[in-house]
Amino acid sequence: SDPCNYDWRLDPLVQKPELLHAPPPRAEKKPTDVTDFPQQKVTPMPEEYHYPEGKYRPPTLPIRGGFIPINIHLEAGKIYKWCSCGATWDEPWCDHKCHYMLSRNRPIAFNVDKSGYYKICNCKQSANAPFCNGTERLLVKNFSNTYFGAYRTATAVGLGLFFFGVWWNFRS
């Protein structure tokens, strides 16, 4: 079985389905009446979710903080909040910018059992989030195969050739 397979029925944070019934018809109809069904319910979204190790999948596509993991000293027992949306200004820690953007990614709270240096994921795609598992190497390798990556690569090569030509013509 796929270790990253997600089943919402087993998720303790997902509310169970509820069958909605229409209320009895109103005695007096007003022009402001839109429907006879109950108001829409809003499912609360968890601010932090403790993912099982090695089974993290970002709910929506995060903003990539970079291709290189952050090597940082973490203290034992201290609770850290890792930003999974990538919009933070305090990389890799969460400053709750996800509340002001269209993202379902929320911070991941974690701690470590031993103080020391750890590699924290910066590409936001690691299955072992918040720790790096080398996924950024696959992103770098496949970056130029995407449309956006091919465009950026061609632009960089073109600019490099242009500046090389300028240097070649004006060298002394």
Side-chain angles (χ1 to χ4, degrees), residues 2 5 32 48 57 61 64 73 84 95-96 127 154:
D2 184 13
N5 192 9
T32 56
E48 297 145 4
R57 287 281 191 234
L61 192 63
R64 188 179 308 122
H73 187 270
S84 66
D95 59 1
H96 300 288

Side-chain angles (χ1 to χ4, degrees), residues 5-23:
N5 192 9
Y6 173 73
D7 188 3
W8 64 270
R9 291 169 294 204
L10 303 176
D11 193 340
L13 298 175
V14 175
Q15 295 180 350
K16 302 301 175 218
E18 180 183 340
L19 188 60
L20 300 177
H21 299 284

Side-chain angles (χ1 to χ4, degrees), residues 63-140:
I63 300 168
R64 188 179 308 122
F67 286 119
I68 301 170
I70 297 174
N71 196 18
I72 196 165
H73 187 270
L74 302 178
E75 298 174 15
K78 185 175 178 184
I79 296 177
Y80 298 95
K81 288 184 181 180
W82 177 74
C83 171
S84 66
C85 73
T88 181
W89 288 1
D90 191 21
E91 194 71 49
W93 312 125
C94 180
D95 59 1
H96 300 288
K97 291 275 191 292
C98 51
H99 293 283
Y100 307 106
M101 60 182 280
L102 189 59
S103 172
R104 290 177 49 219
N105 295 333
R106 291 295 180 256
I108 295 179
F110 73 100
N111 62 5
V112 292
D113 55 352
K114 284 196 298 188
S115 295
Y117 284 91
Y118 292 87
K119 288 190 177 187
I120 303 296
C121 177
N122 208 8
C123 72
K124 313 296 181 193
Q125 302 289 330
S126 172
N128 197 22
F131 302 105
C132 179
N133 68 349
T135 309
E136 77 280 347
R137 290 184 217 127
L138 296 174
L139 295 173
V140 170

